[in-house]
Structures are given as C-alpha cells and as structure tokens.
Amino acid sequence: KITINKEENSISVWNNGKGIDIEMHQEHKILVPELIFGELLTSTNYDDNDERTTGGRNGYGAKLANIYSTEFNVETVDLERGKKFKQTFTDNMDNRTKAKVTTLKDPKSGYTCITFKPDLKRFGLEELTDDIINLMTKRCYDIAATTEKHVKVYYNGSKLEINNFKSYISMFFDEDVIYEEVNDRWQIGVIYIPDNGYDQISYVNCISTFKGGNHVKYVESDILKRVEEQILKKNKN
C-alpha cells in the first residue's frame, strides 16, 4: 500500500507479511530493524562478480531514503515474536529517537510500514512536483505488473487492477499482443505496429530496464531468426 500526500510532503509504503525480526543482532548489538534502516554497509549484494538472479543492493535504497529525508519513520510488527517496533529518524539520519518495542498479546498479522518526508531542498524543489508524483505512480503500476499475481498493490487507497504483465501491456496498446508466459522467470509480449519503428519496455526483477540490454537482445534475435526462416520458406530467392 503506497500513499503519497503532496500537501504534507509525505510518502508511506506499507507491506504485510511476518514483519522484520525484532531482536538484538548478535554481531552489531543493535535491534535488527534499526540496523536495516539506520546503519550503512549492513546489507548484501555489493559484489558485482557474484553470480545471482536478484537486482539492486539489498537494503541500500531504504537507507538512502532515510539519508535524503527530514523525517523517516519505521514501524514493524514481528508476528513470530509478537512484538512491535517504532523509531523515528530526523535531519538526514543524523538524529534518531530511542527504539520503542512493545509486546503484543495476539497479533493477527505482521507488517512493515515506512513513512518519510523527502528533504526537498536537497533536490532543488519546493514541493513534490506533479512530474515526480506521476513517476512514482508509474512505479506503483510497474510493481503491480511485475510481482507475483497474488500480490495486491494499492495506491492512495485504491487497488490497482493490474496483476500481470499482459494486463500492463494493454494499458499502453490497443493492438493484439502475441504473449507468452514462458516460465516463472520470463513473460514476453510482442506487438506488430507497421511504420512505428522499434521500441521495448522491459523489467528485470521488477527493475525498469528502459535502455534494454542482453535480455531484450536475446528475445529480439530469436524472434528475428524465426521470422527470417518463414520469409525464406516463402521466398526462396
């Protein structure tokens, strides 16, 4: 559930699940949620030589959001331990309140909620512009299209009626799409629009790859090869 309040310069992202482990980290001697959101270089995925099928730097984005905010609130319910954690960071992560941990009697579900106020002056802004909000709104639709079908995405209280990549494509094009869900890692749609030139919209692990890449070339070259074979069958010369 994503909520953007332009007037209050506030952005909230809520996600259900079992929540973050509310316990002391053995090595760093700090509660795990505080470690995740308030301490640098405590995540993984930094070595680009490692073979992996995930994208991004695990945990980096949240810390950067904290650093570039005047206020950053963390709230999580650890379903397994029956505990709730709350903490507020201010002044670009320079200051923080003492983490508040409470014990819950019978929590029905866990969740994590991050609410933050971007430090607009660091971006040369006086407010969240319509362009930026539109970009964030697009990102909400991206998430709805590229995560698992059972994941429901809400934007400012309204459920987005997009739950797969095919329905996402139909938002942009009225033409018939040749579509195939190859396996649990590949979904591909192709549209033939004469005299329209070539374009691609692609994602890898929910990350927009608007410049394309080897994954797009891989599909493109395979399609061109098959089309060429069919043309040569009908036109031997």
Side-chain angles (χ1 to χ4, degrees), residues 114-168:
I114 304 297
T115 305
F116 62 101
K117 295 184 176 183
D119 191 350
L120 296 174
K121 69 178 187 295
R122 292 185 179 271
F123 300 97
L125 298 171
E126 293 182 359
E127 64 176 4
L128 287 170
T129 65
D130 290 341
D131 278 350
I132 288 172
I133 290 174
N134 285 339
L135 191 64
M136 292 177 178
T137 305
K138 177 188 177 297
R139 182 64 184 145
C140 297
Y141 280 89
D142 292 351
I143 292 166
T146 56
T147 49
E148 295 290 335
K149 290 179 183 178
H150 66 270
V151 176
K152 298 176 180 65
V153 179
Y154 293 79
Y155 174 65
N156 282 358
S158 298
K159 181 186 170 188
L160 303 186
E161 298 302 328
I162 299 288
N163 70 345
N164 59 45
F165 198 48
K166 188 175 184 181
S167 56
Y168 182 76

Side-chain angles (χ1 to χ4, degrees), residues 78-203:
D78 180 354
L79 186 62
E80 189 177 321
R81 294 167 183 80
K83 292 181 178 180
K84 183 177 182 178
F85 172 100
K86 289 184 77 171
Q87 188 171 28
T88 299
F89 298 82
T90 53
D91 305 316
N92 310 109
M93 207 166 82
D94 276 350
N95 301 303
R96 66 187 69 182
T97 61
K98 185 179 178 182
K100 182 182 179 182
V101 178
T102 51
T103 301
L104 305 175
K105 285 185 178 179
D106 186 24
K108 296 292 185 287
S109 63
Y111 68 85
T112 299
C113 183
I114 304 297
T115 305
F116 62 101
K117 295 184 176 183
D119 191 350
L120 296 174
K121 69 178 187 295
R122 292 185 179 271
F123 300 97
L125 298 171
E126 293 182 359
E127 64 176 4
L128 287 170
T129 65
D130 290 341
D131 278 350
I132 288 172
I133 290 174
N134 285 339
L135 191 64
M136 292 177 178
T137 305
K138 177 188 177 297
R139 182 64 184 145
C140 297
Y141 280 89
D142 292 351
I143 292 166
T146 56
T147 49
E148 295 290 335
K149 290 179 183 178
H150 66 270
V151 176
K152 298 176 180 65
V153 179
Y154 293 79
Y155 174 65
N156 282 358
S158 298
K159 181 186 170 188
L160 303 186
E161 298 302 328
I162 299 288
N163 70 345
N164 59 45
F165 198 48
K166 188 175 184 181
S167 56
Y168 182 76
I169 294 169
S170 66
M171 290 178 60
F172 296 90
F173 302 101
D174 294 326
E175 291 80 6
D176 290 336
V177 57
I178 300 164
Y179 184 82
E180 184 173 358
E181 197 162 320
V182 183
N183 51 43
D184 61 351
R185 299 201 64 83
W186 284 86
Q187 296 174 52
I188 299 164
V190 181
I191 299 171
Y192 174 57
I193 307 175
D195 307 319
N196 197 57
Y198 165 76
D199 202 1
Q200 64 85 30
I201 299 170
S202 59
Y203 296 85

